[in-house]
Amino acid sequence: MKAILVAGARPNFMKIAPLYKAMLRHRGFQPVIVHTGQHYDYSMSSVFFNDLGLPQPSEFLGVGSGSHAEQTARVMLAFEPVVAKYRPDVVIVVGDVNSTLACALTAVKMGVRVAHVEAGLRSGDCTMPEEVNRIATDAISDYLFTPSRDADANLLAEGIDASRIYFVGNVMVDTLLEYREVARARSDILERCHVEPKSYAVVTLHRPSNVDTESSLRRMVDIVNATRRRLPVIWPVHPRTRHRLGTLGLWNEVIEEDVTLVEPLGYIDFLCLMDSARIVLTDSGGIQEETTVLGVPCLTLRENTERPITLTEGTNHLVGTEPTRVLRVVDDVLSQRMPSGKRLPEGWDGHAAERICVALQRF
Ligand code: UD1
């Protein structure tokens, strides 16, 4: 089975890595990695190929940044000849970024079967570009591989036939479990940031709703500065956020003692940093899941989440973006008034990619 694995943006790389490796272990698969180039900097892309032991992509589409329409359209235009060249049996898209939808749409119209990995997640908030990508990708994909049972329920509620839905668990957890010990042994990020294990907070922010306007970004800066009065803060700054902090003139307000601003980190360093953190504050989707597996308290600075299982079974707290409320929960976590991790969700066991290969072989 010839399978194109599509990766475009940072959160995709740790999802295709276990699939690529599982396909090499199973007989009969011929995986081809296509990188759309939605993310292109070393720190947002190449470092992940090195860290995760992936080969260079067979095709690099080099689409780069742009508006949503530009980016989506450029991926479609560049992906069409790639599908024509390889004639794959299946195109596998992961997650919810613009490249996910663009490649699914291109392949399905060329009569190629599409599998969506991480199907069925819903925040209920269509102002998020990722929510539009999720709904549209699921509507047109042939095989919907879900990471949690709530995702199955979301798809059924949208009228999707049960025969297209396969609960397989979480592929990102496959990667995390493969590299957790490696990261502990190999990364010196704690020394480089001058922090001791379990004594610091990690912050990541990049959602347009949190960083694109001055008022929302100022709230984030207030939260970071108030947190650093309680414990040291390490903040790997996403390019979108760095750009907004610069253009809105807020950069100097966060360069305070004990806020360590660093470039976006590679997988091994970031995993090590998260694993030893006392608390994580984020608006990322994937980090909500990773902290649940690591048993590290996570505060999600959003009004909703497409990953409710991390709230009910994991270590995640949905705290919104209002500084007073967020800081109250920070204090509760630091004083251990919050319950710590509960249990690992079903199928978050390191074998999701294996289950996907078995399912694909059956088709
Ligand atoms: C994208 C995804 C989001 C994912 C996030 C992880 C969509 C709609 N959004 O958001 O789901 O959680 O990636 O990072 O697909 N930039 C660089 N270097 C890079 C990549 C981007 O400087 O390697 C800059 C771009 O010029 C742009 C900004 O970062 O100004 C945002 O990039 P973009 O791909 O539009 O979206 P993200 O915010 O990264």
Side-chain angles (χ1 to χ4, degrees):
M1 181 183 288
K2 196 186 279 180
I4 288 187
L5 291 166
V6 174
R10 184 170 62 177
N12 295 160
F13 306 126
M14 37 291 217
K15 295 172 193 166
I16 64 154
L19 285 166
Y20 179 80
K21 293 172 191 172
M23 285 183 173
L24 293 188
R25 284 194 302 271
H26 279 250
R27 282 160 59 96
F29 282 102
Q30 207 185 322
V32 174
I33 296 178
V34 175
H35 187 328
T36 66
Q38 177 174 342
H39 284 175
Y40 42 84
D41 288 346
Y42 176 79
S43 65
M44 298 292 285
S45 172
S46 311
V47 65
F48 291 88
F49 280 77
N50 299 342
D51 279 0
L52 301 174
L54 285 171
Q56 286 304 307
S58 300
E59 302 285 339
F60 182 76
L61 309 184
V63 300
S65 309
S67 70
H68 287 282
E70 283 168 343
Q71 202 170 49
T72 308
R74 274 197 231 123
V75 174
M76 291 182 72
L77 285 172
F79 191 55
E80 194 174 48
V82 171
V83 177
K85 173 176 164 188
Y86 288 90
R87 302 296 326 155
D89 299 296
V90 64
V91 167
I92 301 181
V93 296
V94 297
D96 55 18
V97 303
N98 287 338
S99 301
T100 309
L101 173 61
C103 291
L105 203 49
T106 306
V108 100
K109 288 196 170 180
M110 294 176 79
V112 175
R113 286 174 180 266
V114 174
H116 184 205
V117 174
E118 203 185 87
L121 298 185
R122 297 290 183 269
S123 66
D125 175 5
C126 277
T127 64
M128 283 178 84
E130 294 84 357
E131 183 75 351
V132 178
N133 293 340
R134 291 180 199 118
I135 294 170
T137 305
D138 286 340
I140 58 173
S141 296
D142 298 276
Y143 311 119
L144 300 171
F145 292 119
T146 60
S148 49
R149 299 283 181 190
D150 55 287
D152 296 27
N154 291 336
L155 294 169
L156 291 170
E158 286 172 16
I160 288 175
D161 198 272
S163 64
R164 285 164 58 203
I165 305 170
Y166 303 86
F167 169 72
V168 290
N170 191 324
V171 285
M172 211 170 57
V173 176
D174 292 7
T175 301
L176 187 142
L177 295 178
E178 182 184 347
Y179 284 97
R180 187 177 190 179
E181 291 308 322
V182 176
R184 283 179 179 168
R186 218 194 280 161
S187 174
D188 62 354
I189 187 70
L190 270 64
E191 291 88 54
R192 274 161 37 218
C193 291
H194 309 292
V195 285
E196 295 294 326
K198 299 297 163 190
S199 72
Y200 60 90
V202 174
V203 172
T204 83
L205 297 165
H206 76 278
R207 291 265 157 245
S209 59
N210 278 341
V211 306
D212 277 8
T213 68
E214 180 165 359
S215 58
S216 58
L217 188 53
R218 188 172 285 281
R219 267 202 307 275
M220 295 299 120
V221 168
D222 288 347
I223 290 168
V224 171
N225 285 336
T227 304
R228 72 114 200 135
R229 283 181 218 113
R230 289 148 168 89
L231 76 176
V233 172
I234 319 283
W235 183 0
V237 187
H238 188 282
R240 171 187 285 274
T241 311
R242 179 176 293 273
H243 178 70
R244 301 306 294 169
L245 283 168
T247 53
L248 296 172
L250 291 171
W251 189 250
N252 288 334
E253 295 193 24
V254 283
I255 307 182
E256 297 189 27
E257 200 186 340
D258 282 339
V259 178
T260 306
L261 299 169
V262 294
E263 291 294 315
L265 296 172
Y267 187 75
I268 297 290
D269 281 339
F270 191 70
L271 177 52
C272 179
L273 193 66
M274 226 175 3
D275 196 13
S276 285
R278 178 72 187 82
I279 185 171
V280 173
L281 287 80
T282 189
D283 58 12
S284 152
I287 292 172
Q288 297 172 53
E289 298 179 342
E290 290 169 331
T291 46
T292 274
V293 178
L294 296 171
V296 172
C298 177
L299 271 54
T300 295
L301 305 178
R302 288 171 44 189
E303 301 302 334
N304 52 55
T305 177
E306 61 290 334
R307 292 161 161 95
I309 201 163
T310 61
L311 302 173
T312 52
E313 300 191 15
T315 59
N316 191 17
H317 307 278
L318 192 61
V319 294
T321 57
E322 201 276 305
T324 319
R325 175 160 172 233
V326 174
L327 268 298
R328 206 164 41 232
V329 184
V330 169
D331 287 335
D332 284 349
V333 168
L334 295 181
S335 61
Q336 294 179 325
R337 282 196 296 268
M338 289 300 233
S340 52
K342 292 159 225 164
R343 63 192 161 105
L344 274 190
E346 182 189 356
W348 294 26
D349 58 359
H351 301 291
E354 290 287 335
R355 288 190 282 270
I356 289 173
C357 285
V358 170
L360 286 172
Q361 271 172 335
R362 243 187 287 133
F363 307 143

